[in-house]
mmCIF file of all heavy atoms in Angstrom:
data_model
loop_
_atom_site.group_PDB
_atom_site.id
_atom_site.type_symbol
_atom_site.label_atom_id
_atom_site.label_comp_id
_atom_site.label_asym_id
_atom_site.label_seq_id
_atom_site.Cartn_x
_atom_site.Cartn_y
_atom_site.Cartn_z
ATOM 1 N N SER Q 340 90.212 108.081 64.330
ATOM 2 C CA SER Q 340 91.439 108.051 63.525
ATOM 3 C C SER Q 340 91.104 108.027 62.037
ATOM 4 O O SER Q 340 89.945 107.904 61.647
ATOM 5 C CB SER Q 340 92.261 106.801 63.882
ATOM 6 O OG SER Q 340 91.623 105.634 63.362
ATOM 7 N N LYS Q 341 92.137 108.114 61.222
ATOM 8 C CA LYS Q 341 91.928 108.074 59.772
ATOM 9 C C LYS Q 341 91.462 106.704 59.298
ATOM 10 O O LYS Q 341 90.902 106.589 58.209
ATOM 11 C CB LYS Q 341 93.215 108.479 59.043
ATOM 12 C CG LYS Q 341 93.507 109.961 59.137
ATOM 13 C CD LYS Q 341 94.645 110.364 58.213
ATOM 14 C CE LYS Q 341 94.845 111.874 58.225
ATOM 15 N NZ LYS Q 341 95.900 112.310 57.286
ATOM 16 N N ARG Q 342 91.677 105.677 60.106
ATOM 17 C CA ARG Q 342 91.148 104.361 59.738
ATOM 18 C C ARG Q 342 89.624 104.406 59.677
ATOM 19 O O ARG Q 342 89.007 103.677 58.907
ATOM 20 C CB ARG Q 342 91.591 103.293 60.741
ATOM 21 C CG ARG Q 342 93.068 102.992 60.715
ATOM 22 C CD ARG Q 342 93.387 101.866 61.669
ATOM 23 N NE ARG Q 342 93.072 100.568 61.123
ATOM 24 C CZ ARG Q 342 92.941 99.457 61.837
ATOM 25 N NH1 ARG Q 342 93.043 99.514 63.152
ATOM 26 N NH2 ARG Q 342 92.659 98.299 61.264
ATOM 27 N N GLY Q 343 89.031 105.267 60.519
ATOM 28 C CA GLY Q 343 87.578 105.416 60.494
ATOM 29 C C GLY Q 343 87.105 106.039 59.207
ATOM 30 O O GLY Q 343 86.122 105.587 58.600
ATOM 31 N N ALA Q 344 87.786 107.092 58.741
ATOM 32 C CA ALA Q 344 87.443 107.710 57.454
ATOM 33 C C ALA Q 344 87.614 106.696 56.336
ATOM 34 O O ALA Q 344 86.798 106.620 55.402
ATOM 35 C CB ALA Q 344 88.333 108.926 57.216
ATOM 36 N N HIS Q 345 88.661 105.898 56.434
ATOM 37 C CA HIS Q 345 88.933 104.847 55.438
ATOM 38 C C HIS Q 345 87.771 103.857 55.374
ATOM 39 O O HIS Q 345 87.269 103.527 54.289
ATOM 40 C CB HIS Q 345 90.231 104.139 55.842
ATOM 41 C CG HIS Q 345 90.887 103.359 54.757
ATOM 42 N ND1 HIS Q 345 90.441 102.120 54.361
ATOM 43 C CD2 HIS Q 345 91.960 103.630 53.983
ATOM 44 C CE1 HIS Q 345 91.225 101.665 53.393
ATOM 45 N NE2 HIS Q 345 92.144 102.565 53.142
ATOM 46 N N LEU Q 346 87.323 103.392 56.550
ATOM 47 C CA LEU Q 346 86.222 102.430 56.591
ATOM 48 C C LEU Q 346 84.919 103.059 56.106
ATOM 49 O O LEU Q 346 84.148 102.417 55.384
ATOM 50 C CB LEU Q 346 86.047 101.903 58.024
ATOM 51 C CG LEU Q 346 84.846 100.978 58.233
ATOM 52 C CD1 LEU Q 346 84.968 99.713 57.393
ATOM 53 C CD2 LEU Q 346 84.680 100.622 59.707
ATOM 54 N N SER Q 347 84.660 104.311 56.483
ATOM 55 C CA SER Q 347 83.394 104.932 56.096
ATOM 56 C C SER Q 347 83.280 105.024 54.574
ATOM 57 O O SER Q 347 82.197 104.843 54.017
ATOM 58 C CB SER Q 347 83.256 106.309 56.741
ATOM 59 O OG SER Q 347 84.136 107.245 56.163
ATOM 60 N N LEU Q 348 84.394 105.290 53.894
ATOM 61 C CA LEU Q 348 84.369 105.306 52.430
ATOM 62 C C LEU Q 348 84.141 103.901 51.862
ATOM 63 O O LEU Q 348 83.409 103.736 50.885
ATOM 64 C CB LEU Q 348 85.678 105.883 51.883
ATOM 65 C CG LEU Q 348 85.851 107.394 52.001
ATOM 66 C CD1 LEU Q 348 87.206 107.821 51.435
ATOM 67 C CD2 LEU Q 348 84.734 108.141 51.280
ATOM 68 N N SER Q 349 84.758 102.911 52.474
ATOM 69 C CA SER Q 349 84.555 101.529 52.003
ATOM 70 C C SER Q 349 83.088 101.132 52.117
ATOM 71 O O SER Q 349 82.534 100.470 51.216
ATOM 72 C CB SER Q 349 85.413 100.547 52.821
ATOM 73 O OG SER Q 349 86.774 100.688 52.510
ATOM 74 N N LEU Q 350 82.444 101.511 53.216
ATOM 75 C CA LEU Q 350 81.036 101.144 53.395
ATOM 76 C C LEU Q 350 80.153 101.828 52.354
ATOM 77 O O LEU Q 350 79.190 101.224 51.853
ATOM 78 C CB LEU Q 350 80.578 101.506 54.814
ATOM 79 C CG LEU Q 350 81.223 100.701 55.946
ATOM 80 C CD1 LEU Q 350 80.652 101.121 57.294
ATOM 81 C CD2 LEU Q 350 81.051 99.196 55.742
ATOM 82 N N GLU Q 351 80.467 103.083 52.011
ATOM 83 C CA GLU Q 351 79.668 103.759 50.976
ATOM 84 C C GLU Q 351 79.918 103.150 49.604
ATOM 85 O O GLU Q 351 78.997 103.034 48.784
ATOM 86 C CB GLU Q 351 79.966 105.258 50.971
ATOM 87 C CG GLU Q 351 79.607 105.978 52.259
ATOM 88 C CD GLU Q 351 78.195 105.675 52.724
ATOM 89 O OE1 GLU Q 351 77.299 105.439 51.880
ATOM 90 O OE2 GLU Q 351 77.968 105.667 53.957
ATOM 91 N N ARG Q 352 81.145 102.746 49.332
ATOM 92 C CA ARG Q 352 81.438 102.060 48.062
ATOM 93 C C ARG Q 352 80.703 100.722 47.995
ATOM 94 O O ARG Q 352 80.162 100.342 46.949
ATOM 95 C CB ARG Q 352 82.953 101.837 47.924
ATOM 96 C CG ARG Q 352 83.747 103.105 47.645
ATOM 97 C CD ARG Q 352 85.242 102.854 47.734
ATOM 98 N NE ARG Q 352 85.669 101.788 46.824
ATOM 99 C CZ ARG Q 352 86.875 101.213 46.865
ATOM 100 N NH1 ARG Q 352 87.760 101.591 47.790
ATOM 101 N NH2 ARG Q 352 87.195 100.273 46.002
ATOM 102 N N LEU Q 353 80.689 100.015 49.137
ATOM 103 C CA LEU Q 353 79.982 98.735 49.175
ATOM 104 C C LEU Q 353 78.486 98.942 48.947
ATOM 105 O O LEU Q 353 77.853 98.195 48.190
ATOM 106 C CB LEU Q 353 80.223 98.052 50.522
ATOM 107 C CG LEU Q 353 79.474 96.729 50.755
ATOM 108 C CD1 LEU Q 353 79.907 95.679 49.734
ATOM 109 C CD2 LEU Q 353 79.708 96.223 52.181
ATOM 110 N N GLN Q 354 77.926 99.954 49.589
ATOM 111 C CA GLN Q 354 76.498 100.201 49.428
ATOM 112 C C GLN Q 354 76.157 100.571 47.981
ATOM 113 O O GLN Q 354 75.134 100.162 47.453
ATOM 114 C CB GLN Q 354 76.029 101.308 50.381
ATOM 115 C CG GLN Q 354 74.532 101.507 50.335
ATOM 116 C CD GLN Q 354 73.954 101.897 51.678
ATOM 117 O OE1 GLN Q 354 74.207 101.255 52.701
ATOM 118 N NE2 GLN Q 354 73.171 102.942 51.697
ATOM 119 N N GLU Q 355 77.024 101.345 47.346
ATOM 120 C CA GLU Q 355 76.818 101.698 45.936
ATOM 121 C C GLU Q 355 76.825 100.437 45.072
ATOM 122 O O GLU Q 355 76.016 100.291 44.155
ATOM 123 C CB GLU Q 355 77.918 102.655 45.486
ATOM 124 C CG GLU Q 355 77.851 103.068 44.029
ATOM 125 C CD GLU Q 355 76.710 104.022 43.721
ATOM 126 O OE1 GLU Q 355 76.037 104.488 44.665
ATOM 127 O OE2 GLU Q 355 76.496 104.304 42.529
ATOM 128 N N PHE Q 356 77.731 99.512 45.394
ATOM 129 C CA PHE Q 356 77.818 98.263 44.631
ATOM 130 C C PHE Q 356 76.594 97.376 44.882
ATOM 131 O O PHE Q 356 76.007 96.810 43.945
ATOM 132 C CB PHE Q 356 79.094 97.514 45.024
ATOM 133 C CG PHE Q 356 79.153 96.106 44.497
ATOM 134 C CD1 PHE Q 356 79.277 95.849 43.136
ATOM 135 C CD2 PHE Q 356 79.064 95.026 45.372
ATOM 136 C CE1 PHE Q 356 79.314 94.544 42.661
ATOM 137 C CE2 PHE Q 356 79.114 93.723 44.904
ATOM 138 C CZ PHE Q 356 79.236 93.487 43.542
ATOM 139 N N VAL Q 357 76.187 97.253 46.145
ATOM 140 C CA VAL Q 357 75.039 96.400 46.485
ATOM 141 C C VAL Q 357 73.761 96.956 45.881
ATOM 142 O O VAL Q 357 72.855 96.207 45.490
ATOM 143 C CB VAL Q 357 74.928 96.270 48.029
ATOM 144 C CG1 VAL Q 357 73.627 95.583 48.421
ATOM 145 C CG2 VAL Q 357 76.122 95.484 48.575
ATOM 146 N N GLY Q 358 73.668 98.289 45.796
ATOM 147 C CA GLY Q 358 72.515 98.923 45.161
ATOM 148 C C GLY Q 358 71.319 99.126 46.065
ATOM 149 O O GLY Q 358 70.234 99.466 45.600
ATOM 150 N N ARG Q 359 71.515 98.911 47.375
ATOM 151 C CA ARG Q 359 70.421 99.127 48.341
ATOM 152 C C ARG Q 359 71.058 99.338 49.706
ATOM 153 O O ARG Q 359 72.245 99.065 49.900
ATOM 154 C CB ARG Q 359 69.498 97.906 48.402
ATOM 155 C CG ARG Q 359 70.240 96.635 48.636
ATOM 156 C CD ARG Q 359 69.393 95.401 48.780
ATOM 157 N NE ARG Q 359 70.204 94.213 48.633
ATOM 158 C CZ ARG Q 359 71.088 93.787 49.514
ATOM 159 N NH1 ARG Q 359 71.272 94.470 50.634
ATOM 160 N NH2 ARG Q 359 71.799 92.700 49.307
ATOM 161 N N ASN Q 360 70.250 99.840 50.638
ATOM 162 C CA ASN Q 360 70.758 100.020 52.001
ATOM 163 C C ASN Q 360 70.908 98.677 52.693
ATOM 164 O O ASN Q 360 69.994 97.845 52.645
ATOM 165 C CB ASN Q 360 69.795 100.888 52.819
ATOM 166 C CG ASN Q 360 69.844 102.346 52.399
ATOM 167 O OD1 ASN Q 360 70.854 102.822 51.897
ATOM 168 N ND2 ASN Q 360 68.749 103.061 52.601
ATOM 169 N N PHE Q 361 72.057 98.445 53.301
ATOM 170 C CA PHE Q 361 72.182 97.278 54.184
ATOM 171 C C PHE Q 361 72.110 97.778 55.619
ATOM 172 O O PHE Q 361 72.253 98.978 55.894
ATOM 173 C CB PHE Q 361 73.478 96.501 53.932
ATOM 174 C CG PHE Q 361 74.718 97.337 53.784
ATOM 175 C CD1 PHE Q 361 75.275 97.999 54.875
ATOM 176 C CD2 PHE Q 361 75.346 97.458 52.547
ATOM 177 C CE1 PHE Q 361 76.415 98.771 54.744
ATOM 178 C CE2 PHE Q 361 76.481 98.231 52.408
ATOM 179 C CZ PHE Q 361 77.031 98.876 53.506
ATOM 180 N N GLN Q 362 71.854 96.864 56.517
ATOM 181 C CA GLN Q 362 71.683 97.227 57.924
ATOM 182 C C GLN Q 362 73.052 97.360 58.588
ATOM 183 O O GLN Q 362 73.908 96.477 58.457
ATOM 184 C CB GLN Q 362 70.853 96.156 58.630
ATOM 185 C CG GLN Q 362 70.370 96.546 60.008
ATOM 186 C CD GLN Q 362 69.444 95.477 60.594
ATOM 187 O OE1 GLN Q 362 69.078 94.516 59.919
ATOM 188 N NE2 GLN Q 362 69.066 95.644 61.857
ATOM 189 N N ARG Q 363 73.262 98.456 59.296
ATOM 190 C CA ARG Q 363 74.540 98.695 59.965
ATOM 191 C C ARG Q 363 74.349 98.594 61.476
ATOM 192 O O ARG Q 363 73.443 99.212 62.043
ATOM 193 C CB ARG Q 363 75.096 100.073 59.606
ATOM 194 C CG ARG Q 363 75.213 100.282 58.114
ATOM 195 C CD ARG Q 363 75.883 101.605 57.794
ATOM 196 N NE ARG Q 363 75.739 101.946 56.380
ATOM 197 C CZ ARG Q 363 76.563 102.716 55.702
ATOM 198 N NH1 ARG Q 363 77.610 103.234 56.301
ATOM 199 N NH2 ARG Q 363 76.343 102.986 54.424
ATOM 200 N N VAL Q 364 75.223 97.820 62.099
ATOM 201 C CA VAL Q 364 75.192 97.660 63.552
ATOM 202 C C VAL Q 364 76.587 97.998 64.073
ATOM 203 O O VAL Q 364 77.568 97.397 63.650
ATOM 204 C CB VAL Q 364 74.807 96.226 63.968
ATOM 205 C CG1 VAL Q 364 74.802 96.105 65.493
ATOM 206 C CG2 VAL Q 364 73.457 95.843 63.380
#
Side-chain angles (χ1 to χ4, degrees):
S340 72
K341 287 190 175 183
R342 292 184 79 197
H345 198 282
L346 175 62
S347 71
L348 285 179
S349 289
L350 293 182
E351 298 310 328
R352 288 171 57 192
L353 176 62
Q354 185 146 309
E355 178 72 7
F356 169 68
V357 171
R359 52 177 164 71
N360 287 333
F361 45 71
Q362 192 175 353
R363 305 185 192 206
V364 179

